[in-house]
Amino acid sequence: MTFLNALSIIFLRNSTKKTGKIMKACFIGHRIIEKTEELKASLKETVITLINKGVTAFLFGSMSEFDTLSWEVVTELKKEYCYIKRVYVRAAYQQIDRFYEEYLLQFYEETDFPQKIENAGKYSYVERNYEMIDQSAYCVFYYNERYSVPQKRKSLSPRRNSGTKIAYKYAQRKKKEIINLYK
């Protein structure tokens, strides 16, 4: 651990004690993304910037390639910034058994199931994203406004909005600081 890293840990602990709040950032993106070295480098730079701004907890959903890439970057940076936490916010399984929790805690420091999504049904992922946005000072997105949701079967109905688009519009309405890494 570097001297500056040690000083930042002390600063963050003291500032958290004063405010009682942990600064958080969430990651939300499309299920399928174009994974490039440029995107990974940009994501890494973004996470370091957020850490330097005082973010110590990173919230993750599941089911998307952007979630996976974000988790990989934060996990890599955790080696240098040992005080940051990875938090898995579940959209399913309100009650989990000890074995599943132990499994999740191999990859995250915490797991949470927000109460407000308890009866959300098929919209639980939308509600989970809303909860992650509400808790976060910064929202890191991979949002392409032209992205269309892959259809599972032929349908005459128009394509539905992606969960990422719904979350992005919600973050805008909530006036959150949005960082969109889609180029």
Side-chain angles (χ1 to χ4, degrees):
M1 179 183 308
T2 67
F3 176 72
L4 287 177
N5 201 357
L7 280 178
S8 66
I9 291 171
I10 293 166
F11 170 77
L12 289 170
R13 284 186 184 146
N14 288 337
S15 64
T16 300
K17 284 179 188 173
K18 289 177 189 171
T19 64
K21 287 189 139 190
I22 295 172
M23 196 177 307
K24 301 175 184 175
C26 64
F27 299 98
I28 300 172
H30 297 300
R31 188 172 297 235
I32 299 167
I33 64 172
E34 184 181 342
K35 285 174 85 172
T36 63
E37 286 304 314
E38 179 185 357
L39 173 60
K40 186 173 181 177
S42 180
L43 184 55
K44 185 174 182 177
E45 182 180 316
T46 298
V47 172
I48 291 170
T49 299
L50 293 175
I51 291 169
N52 289 331
K53 288 182 175 186
V55 173
T56 58
F58 293 93
L59 309 179
F60 299 89
S62 60
M63 306 292 290
S64 83
E65 290 179 357
F66 186 65
D67 288 322
T68 301
L69 181 62
S70 300
W71 181 88
E72 289 170 0
V73 167
V74 172
T75 298
E76 180 182 313
L77 288 170
K78 189 164 175 50
K79 294 172 188 168
E80 184 176 348
Y81 302 94
C82 58
Y83 55 88
I84 63 175
K85 288 193 311 186
R86 299 161 298 175
V87 180
Y88 175 57
V89 184
R90 301 186 314 275
Y93 308 114
Q94 178 181 3
Q95 302 296 324
I96 58 175
D97 64 27
R98 182 174 55 90
F99 299 106
Y100 184 49
E101 183 176 27
E102 286 174 4
Y103 170 76
L104 290 174
L105 295 179
Q106 293 176 41
F107 308 101
Y108 303 92
E109 283 64 51
E110 289 180 24
T111 182
D112 182 38
F113 182 88
Q115 282 298 118
K116 80 184 232 184
I117 67 173
E118 185 176 336
N119 297 311
K122 68 180 185 177
Y123 297 103
S124 62
Y125 293 94
V126 172
E127 292 294 332
R128 187 267 321 274
N129 288 345
Y130 287 174
E131 183 67 22
M132 288 176 23
I133 291 165
D134 289 342
Q135 289 183 29
S136 297
Y138 302 93
C139 301
V140 182
F141 279 88
Y142 184 93
Y143 171 61
N144 172 359
E145 63 185 37
R146 288 191 226 121
Y147 180 87
S148 62
V149 178
Q151 295 292 316
K152 292 184 180 176
R153 62 188 187 298
K154 293 195 180 214
S155 171
L156 297 176
S157 63
R159 292 188 180 269
R160 59 185 168 84
N161 286 330
S162 75
T164 301
K165 179 178 183 176
I166 294 167
Y168 190 85
K169 298 298 181 188
Y170 181 80
Q172 286 180 319
R173 284 194 309 276
K174 290 292 190 168
K175 299 188 181 336
K176 293 292 181 168
E177 186 158 338
I178 297 170
I179 302 159
N180 187 7
L181 297 179
Y182 174 76
K183 300 280 183 205

mmCIF file of all heavy atoms in Angstrom, residues 132-157:
data_model
loop_
_atom_site.group_PDB
_atom_site.id
_atom_site.type_symbol
_atom_site.label_atom_id
_atom_site.label_comp_id
_atom_site.label_asym_id
_atom_site.label_seq_id
_atom_site.Cartn_x
_atom_site.Cartn_y
_atom_site.Cartn_z
ATOM 1 N N MET A 132 -30.736 1.459 -6.793
ATOM 2 C CA MET A 132 -29.294 1.684 -6.928
ATOM 3 C C MET A 132 -29.022 3.153 -7.273
ATOM 4 O O MET A 132 -28.097 3.764 -6.727
ATOM 5 C CB MET A 132 -28.690 0.754 -7.989
ATOM 6 C CG MET A 132 -28.615 -0.682 -7.542
ATOM 7 S SD MET A 132 -28.020 -1.915 -8.753
ATOM 8 C CE MET A 132 -27.078 -1.056 -9.927
ATOM 9 N N ILE A 133 -29.818 3.714 -8.155
ATOM 10 C CA ILE A 133 -29.667 5.121 -8.551
ATOM 11 C C ILE A 133 -29.939 6.024 -7.353
ATOM 12 O O ILE A 133 -29.173 6.957 -7.084
ATOM 13 C CB ILE A 133 -30.589 5.455 -9.743
ATOM 14 C CG1 ILE A 133 -30.095 4.726 -11.003
ATOM 15 C CG2 ILE A 133 -30.683 6.962 -9.962
ATOM 16 C CD1 ILE A 133 -31.094 4.683 -12.142
ATOM 17 N N ASP A 134 -31.017 5.748 -6.624
ATOM 18 C CA ASP A 134 -31.367 6.573 -5.466
ATOM 19 C C ASP A 134 -30.253 6.584 -4.420
ATOM 20 O O ASP A 134 -30.007 7.604 -3.775
ATOM 21 C CB ASP A 134 -32.669 6.082 -4.820
ATOM 22 C CG ASP A 134 -33.900 6.360 -5.670
ATOM 23 O OD1 ASP A 134 -33.830 7.216 -6.587
ATOM 24 O OD2 ASP A 134 -34.939 5.718 -5.430
ATOM 25 N N GLN A 135 -29.575 5.472 -4.233
ATOM 26 C CA GLN A 135 -28.518 5.371 -3.225
ATOM 27 C C GLN A 135 -27.194 6.002 -3.668
ATOM 28 O O GLN A 135 -26.333 6.252 -2.839
ATOM 29 C CB GLN A 135 -28.239 3.898 -2.899
ATOM 30 C CG GLN A 135 -29.319 3.212 -2.118
ATOM 31 C CD GLN A 135 -28.911 1.785 -1.775
ATOM 32 O OE1 GLN A 135 -27.740 1.474 -1.626
ATOM 33 N NE2 GLN A 135 -29.897 0.911 -1.664
ATOM 34 N N SER A 136 -27.041 6.241 -4.961
ATOM 35 C CA SER A 136 -25.742 6.624 -5.519
ATOM 36 C C SER A 136 -25.584 8.122 -5.744
ATOM 37 O O SER A 136 -26.525 8.801 -6.147
ATOM 38 C CB SER A 136 -25.516 5.901 -6.854
ATOM 39 O OG SER A 136 -25.477 4.516 -6.647
ATOM 40 N N ALA A 137 -24.366 8.587 -5.518
ATOM 41 C CA ALA A 137 -24.012 9.960 -5.872
ATOM 42 C C ALA A 137 -23.665 10.035 -7.363
ATOM 43 O O ALA A 137 -23.873 11.070 -7.999
ATOM 44 C CB ALA A 137 -22.822 10.425 -5.034
ATOM 45 N N TYR A 138 -23.145 8.929 -7.909
ATOM 46 C CA TYR A 138 -22.735 8.867 -9.314
ATOM 47 C C TYR A 138 -23.328 7.613 -9.952
ATOM 48 O O TYR A 138 -23.356 6.550 -9.330
ATOM 49 C CB TYR A 138 -21.205 8.806 -9.434
ATOM 50 C CG TYR A 138 -20.521 9.982 -8.797
ATOM 51 C CD1 TYR A 138 -20.077 9.917 -7.476
ATOM 52 C CD2 TYR A 138 -20.314 11.157 -9.514
ATOM 53 C CE1 TYR A 138 -19.451 11.006 -6.888
ATOM 54 C CE2 TYR A 138 -19.692 12.254 -8.920
ATOM 55 C CZ TYR A 138 -19.271 12.170 -7.612
ATOM 56 O OH TYR A 138 -18.653 13.243 -7.029
ATOM 57 N N CYS A 139 -23.766 7.757 -11.197
ATOM 58 C CA CYS A 139 -24.319 6.632 -11.946
ATOM 59 C C CYS A 139 -23.494 6.450 -13.216
ATOM 60 O O CYS A 139 -23.465 7.339 -14.076
ATOM 61 C CB CYS A 139 -25.775 6.891 -12.309
ATOM 62 S SG CYS A 139 -26.838 7.173 -10.879
ATOM 63 N N VAL A 140 -22.825 5.311 -13.303
ATOM 64 C CA VAL A 140 -21.983 5.011 -14.458
ATOM 65 C C VAL A 140 -22.798 4.116 -15.392
ATOM 66 O O VAL A 140 -23.206 3.015 -15.011
ATOM 67 C CB VAL A 140 -20.675 4.311 -14.039
ATOM 68 C CG1 VAL A 140 -19.792 4.055 -15.258
ATOM 69 C CG2 VAL A 140 -19.937 5.134 -12.982
ATOM 70 N N PHE A 141 -23.039 4.616 -16.587
ATOM 71 C CA PHE A 141 -23.868 3.910 -17.562
ATOM 72 C C PHE A 141 -23.056 3.504 -18.789
ATOM 73 O O PHE A 141 -22.056 4.135 -19.122
ATOM 74 C CB PHE A 141 -25.000 4.817 -18.057
ATOM 75 C CG PHE A 141 -26.184 4.895 -17.153
ATOM 76 C CD1 PHE A 141 -26.235 5.828 -16.137
ATOM 77 C CD2 PHE A 141 -27.261 4.041 -17.322
ATOM 78 C CE1 PHE A 141 -27.329 5.915 -15.298
ATOM 79 C CE2 PHE A 141 -28.359 4.117 -16.494
ATOM 80 C CZ PHE A 141 -28.399 5.056 -15.478
ATOM 81 N N TYR A 142 -23.566 2.476 -19.428
ATOM 82 C CA TYR A 142 -23.209 2.163 -20.811
ATOM 83 C C TYR A 142 -24.551 2.184 -21.522
ATOM 84 O O TYR A 142 -25.284 1.192 -21.558
ATOM 85 C CB TYR A 142 -22.545 0.795 -20.927
ATOM 86 C CG TYR A 142 -22.078 0.483 -22.341
ATOM 87 C CD1 TYR A 142 -20.780 0.779 -22.749
ATOM 88 C CD2 TYR A 142 -22.936 -0.097 -23.263
ATOM 89 C CE1 TYR A 142 -20.353 0.497 -24.041
ATOM 90 C CE2 TYR A 142 -22.516 -0.376 -24.550
ATOM 91 C CZ TYR A 142 -21.234 -0.078 -24.935
ATOM 92 O OH TYR A 142 -20.810 -0.357 -26.222
ATOM 93 N N TYR A 143 -24.926 3.374 -22.029
ATOM 94 C CA TYR A 143 -26.249 3.577 -22.612
ATOM 95 C C TYR A 143 -26.138 4.103 -24.030
ATOM 96 O O TYR A 143 -25.620 5.178 -24.277
ATOM 97 C CB TYR A 143 -27.075 4.551 -21.761
ATOM 98 C CG TYR A 143 -28.361 4.978 -22.427
ATOM 99 C CD1 TYR A 143 -29.336 4.049 -22.765
ATOM 100 C CD2 TYR A 143 -28.591 6.307 -22.739
ATOM 101 C CE1 TYR A 143 -30.504 4.442 -23.392
ATOM 102 C CE2 TYR A 143 -29.756 6.713 -23.364
ATOM 103 C CZ TYR A 143 -30.711 5.776 -23.688
ATOM 104 O OH TYR A 143 -31.872 6.154 -24.328
ATOM 105 N N ASN A 144 -26.660 3.316 -24.968
ATOM 106 C CA ASN A 144 -26.744 3.680 -26.370
ATOM 107 C C ASN A 144 -28.223 3.911 -26.659
ATOM 108 O O ASN A 144 -29.028 2.983 -26.570
ATOM 109 C CB ASN A 144 -26.200 2.541 -27.237
ATOM 110 C CG ASN A 144 -26.424 2.747 -28.724
ATOM 111 O OD1 ASN A 144 -27.014 3.736 -29.154
ATOM 112 N ND2 ASN A 144 -25.961 1.794 -29.511
ATOM 113 N N GLU A 145 -28.588 5.133 -27.009
ATOM 114 C CA GLU A 145 -30.013 5.430 -27.213
ATOM 115 C C GLU A 145 -30.620 4.677 -28.402
ATOM 116 O O GLU A 145 -31.833 4.548 -28.496
ATOM 117 C CB GLU A 145 -30.251 6.931 -27.343
ATOM 118 C CG GLU A 145 -29.592 7.577 -28.528
ATOM 119 C CD GLU A 145 -29.769 9.091 -28.516
ATOM 120 O OE1 GLU A 145 -29.735 9.689 -27.432
ATOM 121 O OE2 GLU A 145 -29.940 9.648 -29.616
ATOM 122 N N ARG A 146 -29.783 4.134 -29.268
ATOM 123 C CA ARG A 146 -30.303 3.365 -30.412
ATOM 124 C C ARG A 146 -30.352 1.865 -30.155
ATOM 125 O O ARG A 146 -30.735 1.097 -31.021
ATOM 126 C CB ARG A 146 -29.461 3.650 -31.654
ATOM 127 C CG ARG A 146 -29.721 5.046 -32.181
ATOM 128 C CD ARG A 146 -29.102 5.247 -33.547
ATOM 129 N NE ARG A 146 -28.413 6.539 -33.480
ATOM 130 C CZ ARG A 146 -27.142 6.715 -33.690
ATOM 131 N NH1 ARG A 146 -26.370 5.719 -34.021
ATOM 132 N NH2 ARG A 146 -26.607 7.908 -33.591
ATOM 133 N N TYR A 147 -29.933 1.457 -28.970
ATOM 134 C CA TYR A 147 -29.948 0.031 -28.604
ATOM 135 C C TYR A 147 -31.386 -0.466 -28.590
ATOM 136 O O TYR A 147 -32.289 0.206 -28.101
ATOM 137 C CB TYR A 147 -29.336 -0.131 -27.216
ATOM 138 C CG TYR A 147 -29.281 -1.557 -26.705
ATOM 139 C CD1 TYR A 147 -28.205 -2.379 -26.998
ATOM 140 C CD2 TYR A 147 -30.289 -2.077 -25.906
ATOM 141 C CE1 TYR A 147 -28.127 -3.671 -26.516
ATOM 142 C CE2 TYR A 147 -30.227 -3.363 -25.411
ATOM 143 C CZ TYR A 147 -29.139 -4.160 -25.716
ATOM 144 O OH TYR A 147 -29.077 -5.439 -25.233
ATOM 145 N N SER A 148 -31.597 -1.636 -29.148
ATOM 146 C CA SER A 148 -32.933 -2.233 -29.073
ATOM 147 C C SER A 148 -32.828 -3.587 -28.370
ATOM 148 O O SER A 148 -31.848 -4.310 -28.543
ATOM 149 C CB SER A 148 -33.556 -2.380 -30.459
ATOM 150 O OG SER A 148 -32.779 -3.234 -31.254
ATOM 151 N N VAL A 149 -33.842 -3.857 -27.597
ATOM 152 C CA VAL A 149 -33.872 -5.088 -26.816
ATOM 153 C C VAL A 149 -34.007 -6.271 -27.759
ATOM 154 O O VAL A 149 -34.896 -6.291 -28.613
ATOM 155 C CB VAL A 149 -35.055 -5.067 -25.829
ATOM 156 C CG1 VAL A 149 -35.139 -6.348 -25.038
ATOM 157 C CG2 VAL A 149 -34.944 -3.867 -24.909
ATOM 158 N N PRO A 150 -33.129 -7.267 -27.646
ATOM 159 C CA PRO A 150 -33.267 -8.460 -28.487
ATOM 160 C C PRO A 150 -34.606 -9.149 -28.218
ATOM 161 O O PRO A 150 -34.995 -9.333 -27.061
ATOM 162 C CB PRO A 150 -32.106 -9.356 -28.051
ATOM 163 C CG PRO A 150 -31.161 -8.460 -27.332
ATOM 164 C CD PRO A 150 -31.973 -7.343 -26.763
ATOM 165 N N GLN A 151 -35.322 -9.480 -29.281
ATOM 166 C CA GLN A 151 -36.613 -10.149 -29.146
ATOM 167 C C GLN A 151 -36.415 -11.658 -29.084
ATOM 168 O O GLN A 151 -35.642 -12.210 -29.854
ATOM 169 C CB GLN A 151 -37.526 -9.798 -30.327
ATOM 170 C CG GLN A 151 -37.894 -8.319 -30.370
ATOM 171 C CD GLN A 151 -38.780 -7.902 -29.225
ATOM 172 O OE1 GLN A 151 -39.734 -8.584 -28.879
ATOM 173 N NE2 GLN A 151 -38.442 -6.783 -28.598
ATOM 174 N N LYS A 152 -37.123 -12.304 -28.173
ATOM 175 C CA LYS A 152 -37.001 -13.755 -28.028
ATOM 176 C C LYS A 152 -37.810 -14.498 -29.076
ATOM 177 O O LYS A 152 -37.471 -15.582 -29.475
ATOM 178 C CB LYS A 152 -37.439 -14.170 -26.626
ATOM 179 C CG LYS A 152 -36.489 -13.681 -25.563
ATOM 180 C CD LYS A 152 -36.883 -14.170 -24.206
ATOM 181 C CE LYS A 152 -35.869 -13.638 -23.195
ATOM 182 N NZ LYS A 152 -36.190 -13.966 -21.842
ATOM 183 N N ARG A 153 -38.905 -13.913 -29.482
ATOM 184 C CA ARG A 153 -39.737 -14.542 -30.503
ATOM 185 C C ARG A 153 -40.337 -13.461 -31.382
ATOM 186 O O ARG A 153 -40.360 -12.296 -31.000
ATOM 187 C CB ARG A 153 -40.821 -15.400 -29.862
ATOM 188 C CG ARG A 153 -41.787 -14.637 -28.999
ATOM 189 C CD ARG A 153 -42.701 -15.609 -28.254
ATOM 190 N NE ARG A 153 -43.767 -15.026 -27.528
ATOM 191 C CZ ARG A 153 -43.713 -14.189 -26.514
ATOM 192 N NH1 ARG A 153 -42.569 -13.737 -26.103
ATOM 193 N NH2 ARG A 153 -44.772 -13.753 -25.900
ATOM 194 N N LYS A 154 -40.819 -13.873 -32.538
ATOM 195 C CA LYS A 154 -41.422 -12.897 -33.447
ATOM 196 C C LYS A 154 -42.669 -12.320 -32.803
ATOM 197 O O LYS A 154 -43.485 -13.025 -32.238
ATOM 198 C CB LYS A 154 -41.761 -13.549 -34.773
ATOM 199 C CG LYS A 154 -40.536 -13.961 -35.537
ATOM 200 C CD LYS A 154 -40.861 -14.260 -36.958
ATOM 201 C CE LYS A 154 -39.544 -14.667 -37.616
ATOM 202 N NZ LYS A 154 -39.447 -14.268 -38.956
ATOM 203 N N SER A 155 -42.769 -11.012 -32.897
ATOM 204 C CA SER A 155 -43.882 -10.329 -32.258
ATOM 205 C C SER A 155 -44.319 -9.169 -33.135
ATOM 206 O O SER A 155 -43.499 -8.532 -33.779
ATOM 207 C CB SER A 155 -43.451 -9.821 -30.882
ATOM 208 O OG SER A 155 -44.426 -8.997 -30.338
ATOM 209 N N LEU A 156 -45.605 -8.910 -33.136
ATOM 210 C CA LEU A 156 -46.133 -7.768 -33.873
ATOM 211 C C LEU A 156 -46.081 -6.500 -33.027
ATOM 212 O O LEU A 156 -46.216 -5.401 -33.543
ATOM 213 C CB LEU A 156 -47.575 -8.040 -34.313
ATOM 214 C CG LEU A 156 -47.747 -9.207 -35.289
ATOM 215 C CD1 LEU A 156 -49.217 -9.444 -35.570
ATOM 216 C CD2 LEU A 156 -46.992 -8.938 -36.578
ATOM 217 N N SER A 157 -45.898 -6.666 -31.730
ATOM 218 C CA SER A 157 -45.862 -5.490 -30.855
ATOM 219 C C SER A 157 -44.527 -4.768 -31.016
ATOM 220 O O SER A 157 -43.511 -5.375 -31.333
ATOM 221 C CB SER A 157 -46.080 -5.900 -29.401
ATOM 222 O OG SER A 157 -45.042 -6.743 -28.981
#
